[in-house]
Each structure stands twice: as structure tokens, then as C-alpha cells.
Amino acid sequence: MSSTLQELKDTSALSGANAAYIEGLYEQFLETPSSVSEAWQSYFSSLGANHDTPRGPVLEQFIALGKQSPMAMSAGSGNVELERCQSQVTDLINDYRRLGHLRCSVDPLGLQPQIDVPELALSYHKLSTADLNTEFDAAGACGMGRASLKAIIATLDKTYCGSIGAEIMHVTDSIRRKWLLKRFEAIQGKPSFSLEQKLRMLSKLIAAQGLEKYLGTKYVGQKRFSIEGGDTLIPMMDALTSHAASFGVNEIVVGMAHRGRLNMLVNYLGKAPTTLFDEFEGKVQDEFSGDVKYHKGFSSNVQTPSGVMHLSMAYNPSHLETVDPVVEGMVRAKQWRRDDTERQQVLPVLLHGDASFAGQGVVQETFNLSQVEGSTTGGTVHIVINNQIGFTTDVIDSRSTRYCTDIAKMVDAPILHVNGDDPEACVFALQLLYDYRREFKQDIVIDLVCYRRHGHNEADEPAMTQPTMYKVIKKHPVPYLVYSEQLQQEGLVSAEQVQQMVKDYRASLDQGKPVVEIDSEKSRGDKSPYSPDWDQYSETDWRKNPETNFGKKQLLAIAQKITQAFGDFPLQPQVAKLIANREKMAKGELPIDWGFAETLAYASLLLDGYPVRISGEDVQRGTFGHRHATLHNFETGDSYMPLAHLGPKQAPIWIYNSILSEYAVMGFELGYASACPESLVIWEAQFGDFANGAQIIVDQFLSSAEQKWKQKSGLVLFLPHGYEGQGPEHSSARLERYLQLCAQHNMQVCVPTTPAQVFHMLRRQMLRKLRKPLIVMTPKSMLRSHMAVSPIEDLAEGKFLPVIGEIDSDIIADKVIRVVMCSGKIYYDILSKRRDVGITNTAIVRIEQIYPFPDQELAAQLAKYPNAVNVVWTQEEPRNQGTWYSMRHNMLAAVGDKQNLSCISRPASAAPAGGYMSTHVKRQKQVVADALGIVAE
């Protein structure tokens, strides 16, 4: 037996009672052999231990050897007591790692109450001051081997109870947790930076304060949502950019709300101060509605030591965290454009407020997207600008958790709480966690604990609600003064140098030129291969449509390939029947139904070179089982997507079943569509009115982004709509809400009634040089209706018709005295009833595009019936909902003075539909009968 092994046996270290402690040493040895003592290194090596050695057999040897040791049976032995203390010291180390953040000095105001943490006391672990000079094995914690308990505690205090509070022990994956511990503990609470780096941090702090002081003096009383108190954000972002650039990041996309936004635009993204001043003075005017200056985005190319970095900040409304999923979608699209499969070239950075981060559900939804296949971006950098108030509410009223960042633990994100007055700690924390993101492609969170020097805005008086806090804030020096004092004490800078830096920055503002080094050769808006070219989508006339037809021969060929390409692939019986019917459609033996027409539209676009992305709940099969774009092997569960196997030169297609969310998922897809105009991007609701959960995305982005920010999008929303007797929540997609938002040709609203119409509508969306959001009221029962079908010729040769006129040949135009106008499923109900009762003096006109309203096309159809004295608009929705109130003025203009216009509908109602099938059937029959001017059954 070696002397080292004998030494271990003599101290009873190998007793079975110490198995847990030894197991920790063993895992540590496997990762870094030098982190354990020479005795343990020798022993583990003698067992042939390496990364592949199972832990169990080694521990069994520990226990066996321990039983052989006479010292292990000597209960009164001093060595046994030492080993008991060693185990308690190990527990103390782990408690520092787990709970040390509760004793950190992260509040620059010093107002956070001291928390009693009994687990960090000697007595809790049955240790005493008498043990302080005794040496124990720190097992590599903070880089220590054997050291006195006093030295161990002092090092742990410096590391875990200083300016950085580390929450990393909740990370469940041991490899990631050990990586964090090793990197965090290496500095023992004191990061090291060069003089150049420290002066850079100081200059950025001076810039942050200098801009706010300049604006506050020049534009007294105007809102600017000052960053003052959280100034350290600027040097943090500056350091992150340089650090990320050194590892190959080419682009950073930032999302944030108001606070500090103007400072970020000027001091980080390089927006010219004169441009900002013009906005304060109201000199910027154009035909767009515009937005307040602290909602606007910006993009630029800035110089870093590693090369040019493209920076962009997303536009953001006053709905704080709404921008989060939008940025994620933009980043995902940009990563695809760069072929960034490792997700290391484009970095998402989200800046949050403390109250909104804890309080707004879209934050949770966005975290839930972070590791899902269809929406991961390789990890997001989250920085919470924690001013300890939020708006005007004390912390006790704004959340139920200890920290505002606790929500991030749902995805095992490591969290570092940092003191906003310690820029070195803040920069180190951000660089460390960025490295973690790069290594593990996971989200990370920095809690920048700071304060807000003024009120919520500069006209607000914060002392109304936080009088004691603001007494402290008024006396507290600004961050650049705190840090410059530290550097002066270190002998690194003089007071005169600091004052000169302040004067130099003020002079640069007076000049009005960018205060950030912008790349001179790559100006803002540079058309790189990775930037979307929105200029080509400048068409404004929605009536200018391209040819959307697709050769019949080619269409039949791809139809056959879609239905036959997967060979012997056992399918669930119902799906097998659906595919068999599609084979008949591909042979021309059956007309095309809705699901197959939709599939053929995607296939034709893919072959034309347009990528397709579809997401939503159940989109692979379709909520109503009509799509089945992804097939599942009935025996093995393996999946196969025929649309991905059309040919070697086809564009990619992605169809993702999403998390059970509307808000974040729709926001993600909108962000994707806004960064990738050449892709058909579709979000489908499970039921149309479920989109209510994403109302902020619809109101603040989808309908108004172009008017506010000149930001275009071609996002398509599929919203199942139609009265089938399924109750209030499963009937209406709330068509009226979208129509209320329509103006200035901001988006399109369509209610197609045939498979050919949906085929041409989707192709039109991509082929024309116009990008507008498209809202589609998609069907439910029509998906399987024998009436809602199209011959293959209508797909191959036709086009999308905003208005469809009468189709029955026995309706003679001169004999028509009544015209029924309608949209959607009710058309088939009216048509069937008219045929059943043999009415020949009533024509039916379908309005397939409700906005932009096809007034010319409708007028042309109505002109065919000169003897019609009554024109009725018929809708399934109650009178106060649906199309009527929003579009009747357009209908009246098309009808003219010669005919009367009235509305047939359900009575006005607070609910969209009745909840009982019998009630639904009765009302539906009445609406159909009234439309035809007959008595209901």
C-alpha cells in the first residue's frame, strides 16, 4: 500500500460515513486533478480513475477500505472528529455557493435590509471559533486546496458576498453548474482589468451622465426617461460588444423599453446627437404618423477591436416587454440569413425593467420559447435595469418573489446580481455569462441593481411615493464620480484628467456628430448580403397583382410527388384515407379540397424559391386535421414532411408546433417576418379568437408598425372562423377588431371561400412587390365540405378574386331583383337554401377581400343587375360584430343611390355566439331565410 493511501486510511478519510464528501472530491478530480490534494490524486490514480470510470465501484472501495480501518471504528478518535468537521466545512462551502447572494452588497444606495442567513454561521454547521485555525480541504473551492477555516471563510465572503450575488446552484445540469462555479470563483470577487479597459469604462460612464445632463439642461421638463442611476448599462453594453465580437459575433439585436433608450441610441448605437435634438425640437416630419422619440429603433455599424459589428435596436411601444419575442424572431431570421446554424453570429440582447420583468406574462412565454426547436436563438443575454421601484410601486407590491429575476429559474438560467456602482463587477459578470451563453447556448440574466435619479419621467415627483429613498438618492454621487474616485485612489487617473474627459464629451455633443466610432465604409442601412432588401417591396397599389397561376402539368407532378414520395410509410387509418384521397386529386379523379390546395400553394412557392415558415398550436396536422403536412409513422412514430422533399433546388420549409401561447409566438413570427420578407411566414390560431391573447402584437406592431416606424411585415395570420354551433369562443375570430384597425392600406383582411382562392391568395402574398400583413378568416366545416372544392384548372390558370360574382347559370341577370352580398361559410348555406327552394331572382355576390375594400370590383358585379331593388349584406356574426359597422360605408358607395342596402345578421350581442346547438341552428336558419327574403322553417 502506498504511503499516501496509508495516510488516508490512518485519518479515517475512507470511512463509509464520508462517502458523499469523497464522491465530491472524486468528481472534482475527474474534472481537474490538480484541484485535490496530492494524497487524493495519488489514490484516485491508483484506482485507474478517469472520465470513463463509473463512480459506484470507486465508492464501494472507499466504503470497504473504511470498514477495514481501525480508526473508522474509534468513535472517540480525534481524527474522526476532524473528518466530521471536514464534512461540515464542505456543507458550509456549498451553503455559501447557494445562499451567499443573500448577504451581498449589491444595492448602491445601501437601503436593502441585511438578511440573516443562518446557514452561513459557524454554529449552524456545529463549528466554532476554535476551529478557525484548523486546516481543512476546500476541495478546490475558489481555487483553494487545504487552508485554515478562517482563510476559507474570508475567501468565500469575498467571492460570494461582495458586489456580485451569484445564483447558479439552481442550474440542474452538473456540467454547466461546475463550469459556472469554476469561472466565477476564479476571481474571488475581484475581477482584473487593464488600465485601458478601466479608462474605457470611465469614459462610458461620463458619456452616460453627460448626455442626460445635456438634455436635462437644454430641454427642461421634456420626457426622456433618463438612465441616471443605471449609467453602468452603457459601459456594460460597450464591453459586451467588444467581447462578443472577439468570439465571432457579427450582429447584436437589442430590445428594450423606454428607460435609458435615448442614451443607448447615442452612446451605444451611434445615433447622431443632432438627430436626437431635432426630435426634441419637433423638426422631423413626414407623411407617416411617427412615434415618440423613446420608442424608436436604430441600426448602425460600429467599430470594435475585432472588426465591424452591426448593431440594431428594435422599435418598441409602451407595452414594455412586448418587444421580447419580436427581437427573438428577428434574430432567428437573421441567423438563417447568415447560415448561422450554431447561433453564434447574431446575438439577442433584451434589456428589461425590474417590475415588468417580474410582472408581465410575455416574459415567461419568451423564456418558454428559448429552448424550443422552432424558436431557439442559441441563448439570450437578459439585463434587468433594476431601479428597485419599477414605475412608482414599492417592491413589496410589485411581485411575490424575492428577486425580480426569479422567473428566469424556470429555464435554469444563471443569474448574477450586480451593484450598479461597481462597473468592473458589472462588466465581469456580463462577460462571464456571455461566455456561458456561447458555451452552452442558454439564456443568461444580469440583475443590474441600481436606482432612478428622477421620477418615472422627468416631470414626475418620486418623493410622493418613495420619500426616504429619494433623500438618499439626492445625496448619492452619480456613478462616474463613484468610479473616478476609486481610480484616483488607485493612482490610475487624476481629478484633472476626469474633468477633461467630461469637457471633451460635452464638446462632442455640441458638435452634434456621432460619439461612437461608426464604420465609415458601411453606413447605416448598408445592403449587405445578410440584410433584407425592403426597397424591392415598394409597391403601394394592391390591385397590381402578378400572375399567380402555376402550370397544370407541373402542378399535377408535384401533387403526385407529395402523395407518393414517402413509399412504405404506415399511416394512421384516418390519415391514410386523407392521403389516398389526395392521390386521387393528384390524378384528377377528385376536385381539390382546401387542405390540398393549401399544400400545393406551399409546394409551388418552395419550387419558386420562397421559404415557408408556419407555426402555431397543432399546425403540423392542423387543428381540424386538414393539413397533415407532417406525417407520422403509425408503428415507430417517426415523422416525414413531404414538402421538404420536392427537389434539390427547393427553398426550405419549417412547420413547427408551438408552445401553448399566442402572445409570444405571434410576436416571434412577426419579428421573423419583419427581418425576412422573402419568406412566407404564417401564424395559425387554434381557434381564431385565441389571437385575442396576442392583441398587443396586433395593435402595436402588426397594424401600425409601418405608420409609426416605417417597419414593414408580410406576416400572415390564419384565424379559423365560422359559426358551427361550437359556442362563443369557437365561432368568431373577432373579424371586427381587425377591420377597426384597418386604414391607409396598412394590412389585408381576406375571407376566401374556395381552395383555388386560398392557393392564389398565398401565392399573391409572395409574388407581388408589396408586403403587408395578411389576416385570413380560415374555414372549419368548409375544410371537408363537398361544395368547397376547386377543379385543378382553377389553381393552374386562375387568380385571386377580391369579389366573386354569381356562379349559377340559371340566375338571369335581368330578372334579378335582390342581391345578397356575403363572405365566408354562410355563402354555402345561402346557396344551398336557394337551390333547395328554387329561387331564381336572387343573385349572390361574395366579397373575398374585405380590406382594402374592393369597391370597384363590387360595383362592377352589382352593375350586372340593373333591376335589383334590394341589396342586402348578410353575415353570421351579430349586428355589432363582423363586417357591417366597419365596411357599410364602402358598401354604400359601391351600391350607389339606385338600390337600398340593409344588413341581415344575428341581433346585436355581447357574446359572439350562442352556447347551445339548438339555439345556433334556429338563428342560422333565420339569417339564411332573411337573406333570401323567405320565411324561416
Side-chain angles (χ1 to χ4, degrees):
M1 182 179 297
S2 69
S3 59
T4 53
L5 179 56
Q6 185 63 52
E7 178 186 340
L8 291 174
K9 285 193 65 179
D10 289 346
T11 62
S12 76
L14 297 176
S15 80
N18 290 320
Y21 167 65
I22 297 170
E23 181 181 3
L25 286 178
Y26 179 55
E27 289 185 347
Q28 198 174 314
F29 168 79
L30 291 180
E31 184 176 346
T32 310
S34 61
S35 65
V36 300
S37 68
E38 291 183 3
W40 283 114
Q41 289 181 50
S42 178
Y43 175 63
F44 290 141
S45 297
S46 72
L47 297 175
N50 55 54
H51 284 283
D52 299 320
T53 307
R55 292 187 304 176
V58 176
L59 293 179
E60 288 174 6
Q61 292 185 61
F62 295 158
I63 296 170
L65 287 168
K67 288 178 179 178
Q68 298 169 15
S69 171
M71 298 302 296
M73 302 178 65
S74 177
S77 166
N79 287 330
V80 171
E81 178 62 21
L82 181 63
E83 290 303 325
R84 183 195 65 76
C85 291
Q86 174 68 69
S87 179
Q88 299 295 343
V89 170
T90 301
D91 288 343
L92 176 63
I93 291 171
N94 286 330
D95 280 340
Y96 263 97
R97 288 168 165 170
R98 186 169 59 92
L99 300 172
H101 58 88
L102 296 175
R103 283 215 332 225
C104 277
S105 304
V106 295
D107 178 11
L109 301 178
L111 295 176
Q112 290 184 359
Q114 186 68 40
I115 298 174
D116 180 34
V117 189
E119 292 88 345
L120 303 187
L122 290 173
S123 58
Y124 182 88
H125 297 279
K126 298 180 181 178
L127 297 167
S128 69
T129 54
D131 299 309
L132 289 175
N133 293 320
T134 304
E135 286 194 350
F136 296 95
D137 190 343
C142 302
M144 294 182 290
R146 292 194 67 82
S148 69
L149 179 58
K150 181 178 181 181
I152 291 173
I153 292 175
T155 303
L156 291 171
D157 268 325
K158 285 191 303 180
T159 303
Y160 284 100
C161 302
S163 293
I164 306 176
E167 285 195 278
I168 52 184
M169 294 301 285
H170 63 274
V171 176
T172 54
D173 182 83
S174 62
I175 294 175
R176 292 191 281 127
R177 186 173 63 251
K178 289 175 182 177
W179 187 98
L180 286 162
L181 288 171
K182 182 177 180 181
R183 287 288 302 272
F184 181 74
E185 292 180 348
I187 66 163
Q188 297 186 6
K190 186 61 178 175
S192 176
F193 292 98
S194 67
L195 173 61
E196 181 183 4
Q197 290 171 318
K198 292 182 177 184
L199 291 178
R200 177 86 176 185
M201 292 182 211
L202 178 60
S203 70
K204 292 299 177 181
L205 287 174
I206 288 172
Q209 171 65 20
L211 179 66
E212 299 296 352
K213 186 174 181 180
Y214 190 94
L215 295 176
T217 302
K218 191 171 183 179
Y219 305 105
V220 179
Q222 287 202 44
K223 293 180 183 179
R224 65 179 192 275
F225 294 97
S226 161
I227 200 176
E228 291 170 274
D231 310 47
T232 305
L233 175 67
I234 302 301
M236 288 173 71
M237 289 300 299
D238 176 68
L240 173 65
T241 302
S242 297
H243 188 65
S246 70
F247 288 104
V249 172
N250 299 304
E251 188 168 355
I252 293 177
V253 184
V254 179
M256 68 181 297
H258 319 329
R259 183 146 321 279
R261 190 182 192 92
L262 301 183
N263 216 301
M264 281 281 291
L265 288 171
V266 171
N267 287 322
Y268 175 64
L269 284 97
K271 183 173 183 175
T274 50
T275 304
L276 179 62
F277 302 156
D278 286 346
E279 291 172 357
F280 268 95
E281 295 165 12
K283 294 179 180 179
V284 181
Q285 295 180 353
D286 52 37
E287 72 278 12
F288 290 82
S289 66
D291 202 352
V292 292
K293 50 192 168 292
Y294 38 80
H295 287 177
K296 293 183 178 180
F298 192 78
S299 63
S300 61
N301 295 293
V302 302
Q303 286 283 3
T304 76
S306 301
V308 176
M309 173 78 79
H310 183 72
L311 305 178
S312 58
M313 180 183 289
Y315 296 91
N316 195 78
S318 286
H319 285 266
L320 303 178
E321 302 293 337
T322 300
V323 77
D324 297 354
V326 177
V327 164
E328 299 292 347
M330 293 171 65
V331 169
R332 175 77 174 216
K334 288 171 178 287
Q335 289 172 339
W336 174 75
R337 300 180 74 89
R338 290 179 176 270
D339 195 24
D340 182 14
T341 56
E342 293 299 313
R343 312 207 183 283
Q344 297 289 358
Q345 298 177 39
V346 187
L347 177 67
V349 178
L350 296 178
L351 310 181
H352 312 267
D354 50 327
S356 61
F357 192 71
Q360 296 194 22
V362 71
V363 175
Q364 179 272 335
E365 292 187 20
T366 305
F367 271 120
N368 202 18
L369 288 173
S370 66
Q371 293 300 308
V372 176
E373 179 189 2
S375 49
T376 184
T377 54
T380 298
V381 174
H382 300 267
I383 303 176
V384 181
I385 307 170
N386 183 355
N387 60 38
Q388 308 181 71
I389 299 174
F391 176 44
T392 61
T393 306
D394 289 327
V395 169
I396 194 172
D397 298 317
S398 66
R399 61 177 184 266
S400 296
T401 56
R402 180 182 296 278
Y403 293 118
C404 63
T405 53
D406 285 339
I407 186 67
K409 293 177 183 176
M410 67 175 281
V411 293
D412 267 5
I415 303 164
L416 296 182
H417 310 274
V418 289
N419 188 317
D421 271 2
D422 188 341
E424 294 182 20
C426 293
V427 168
F428 165 77
L430 188 52
Q431 291 176 338
L432 166 65
L433 288 191
Y434 166 75
D435 290 346
Y436 175 89
R437 182 265 181 196
R438 179 172 53 85
E439 182 76 17
F440 299 107
K441 299 182 176 64
Q442 301 279 325
D443 283 37
I444 59 93
V445 178
I446 297 289
D447 179 16
L448 176 61
V449 184
C450 51
Y451 57 92
R452 189 183 67 196
R453 184 157 293 277
H454 306 292
H456 174 64
N457 61 60
E458 286 63 36
D460 177 53
E461 176 45 69
M464 293 178 183
T465 46
Q466 283 80 29
T468 55
M469 173 182 278
Y470 275 85
K471 287 178 183 176
V472 175
I473 289 175
K474 285 184 178 179
K475 299 177 182 178
H476 191 75
V478 297
Y480 95 82
L481 289 176
V482 174
Y483 189 51
S484 65
E485 179 64 26
Q486 174 189 323
L487 296 186
Q488 288 176 56
Q489 291 178 0
E490 293 175 7
L492 300 178
V493 70
S494 67
E496 292 74 20
Q497 286 176 292
V498 174
Q499 285 304 309
Q500 188 59 50
M501 293 171 73
V502 172
K503 291 178 181 178
D504 290 344
Y505 181 78
R506 172 61 188 251
S508 66
L509 290 181
D510 288 334
Q511 293 173 5
K513 297 179 181 179
V515 296
V516 173
E517 187 179 359
I518 304 295
D519 184 84
S520 58
E521 296 182 0
K522 294 185 177 180
S523 60
R524 182 173 179 264
D526 173 57
K527 296 298 184 295
S528 74
Y530 309 113
S531 299
D533 182 11
W534 281 101
D535 291 343
Q536 64 177 305
Y537 305 107
S538 57
E539 180 59 65
T540 58
D541 185 356
W542 65 267
R543 287 189 168 88
K544 288 186 178 179
N545 290 327
E547 294 293 330
T548 57
N549 54 10
F550 201 80
K552 181 179 177 180
K553 184 177 180 180
Q554 190 179 7
L555 201 58
L556 287 172
I558 62 174
Q560 290 179 12
K561 190 160 191 176
I562 289 171
T563 56
Q564 298 172 4
F566 44 90
D568 296 330
F569 195 83
L571 300 172
Q572 188 268 350
Q574 290 168 287
V575 179
K577 183 179 179 181
L578 179 144
I579 297 299
N581 283 337
R582 287 184 177 177
E583 287 188 58
K584 294 179 181 179
M585 296 175 197
K587 296 175 182 177
E589 298 172 4
L590 287 176
I592 307 296
D593 67 6
W594 193 282
F596 201 38
E598 185 188 319
T599 301
L600 290 173
Y602 303 143
S604 66
L605 287 170
L606 292 169
L607 291 174
D608 283 341
Y610 295 96
V612 175
R613 176 185 169 92
I614 309 172
S615 79
E617 298 150 20
D618 304 324
V619 293
Q620 290 184 347
R621 70 163 214 176
T623 294
F624 308 105
H626 80 288
R627 183 171 292 122
H628 292 288
T630 299
L631 304 174
H632 296 273
N633 188 307
F634 196 48
E635 296 177 357
T636 66
D638 294 339
S639 61
Y640 180 83
M641 188 188 298
L643 286 168
H645 301 276
L646 300 173
K649 295 183 179 180
Q650 74 168 85
I653 180 168
W654 308 279
I655 304 180
Y656 296 114
N657 291 334
S658 75
I659 65 173
L660 191 63
S661 155
E662 291 79 39
Y663 192 172
V665 178
M666 187 192 293
F668 188 99
E669 301 308 327
L670 182 136
Y672 194 101
S674 69
C676 204
E678 65 270 42
S679 295
L680 175 63
V681 183
I682 300 173
W683 177 81
E684 181 176 66
Q686 195 173 66
F687 285 92
D689 62 334
F690 288 9
N692 292 351
Q695 194 69 38
I696 293 172
I697 298 294
V698 174
D699 289 354
Q700 312 301 330
F701 285 92
L702 192 75
S703 65
S704 58
E706 187 173 1
Q707 277 299 309
K708 293 188 297 186
W709 312 315
K710 301 182 183 180
Q711 184 177 57
K712 297 180 180 181
S713 160
L715 179 65
V716 179
L717 302 188
F718 275 0
L719 308 178
H721 179 90
Y723 282 59
E724 324 281 358
Q726 296 189 49
E729 276 69 56
H730 290 165
S731 296
S732 172
R734 290 295 190 177
L735 171 60
E736 64 280 354
R737 293 187 178 174
Y738 297 94
L739 295 178
Q740 185 183 37
L741 296 169
C742 288
Q744 301 172 302
H745 290 187
N746 60 330
M747 55 186 182
Q748 310 156 94
V749 180
C750 293
V751 190
T753 55
T754 72
Q757 281 286 87
V758 76
F759 176 86
H760 292 292
M761 178 191 68
L762 291 173
R763 286 184 57 77
R764 180 184 75 161
Q765 179 70 1
M766 298 310 298
L767 295 179
R768 63 182 174 179
K769 297 301 182 182
L770 179 148
R771 286 290 179 271
K772 300 282 183 178
L774 171 60
I775 315 300
V776 186
M777 300 288 119
T778 55
K780 294 181 287 183
S781 65
M782 282 165 52
L783 297 173
R784 291 173 178 80
S785 170
H786 70 280
M787 298 182 72
V789 294
S790 299
I792 190 73
E793 289 77 13
D794 283 0
L795 279 67
E797 301 169 3
K799 64 179 180 179
F800 180 77
L801 301 172
V803 176
I804 300 179
E806 179 58 61
I807 64 168
D808 278 3
S809 59
D810 57 348
I811 303 298
I812 308 302
D814 290 344
K815 295 182 179 180
V816 169
I817 61 173
R818 185 182 186 88
V819 178
V820 177
M821 301 186 302
C822 62
S823 290
K825 179 191 72 71
I826 198 170
Y827 162 73
Y828 292 103
D829 296 340
I830 297 171
L831 179 64
S832 295
K833 188 65 176 178
R834 187 185 70 176
R835 289 173 176 175
D836 287 345
V837 299
I839 296 174
T840 59
N841 64 356
T842 300
I844 308 174
V845 175
R846 283 169 278 174
I847 302 179
E848 303 276 291
Q849 177 175 294
I850 302 179
Y851 191 85
F853 193 81
D855 49 358
Q856 298 173 20
E857 293 81 356
L858 178 59
Q861 288 296 327
L862 294 176
K864 295 178 180 180
Y865 310 108
N867 297 321
V869 293
N870 289 311
V871 179
V872 297
W873 165 256
T874 304
Q875 63 180 42
E876 293 181 298
E877 301 89 351
R879 180 69 59 92
N880 59 317
Q881 299 169 33
T883 302
W884 176 242
Y885 281 144
S886 295
M887 291 295 145
R888 62 179 175 178
H889 62 290
N890 288 315
M891 296 179 194
L892 281 167
V895 168
D897 299 332
K898 295 181 180 180
Q899 299 160 322
N900 296 318
L901 177 65
S902 59
C903 177
I904 305 298
S905 69
R906 284 169 167 77
S909 171
Y916 300 98
M917 179 59 76
S918 59
T919 302
H920 162 74
V921 171
K922 181 179 179 181
R923 289 177 176 173
Q924 191 74 1
K925 287 182 177 180
Q926 187 65 57
V927 170
V928 171
D930 289 347
L932 293 170
I934 61 176
V935 178
E937 296 177 0

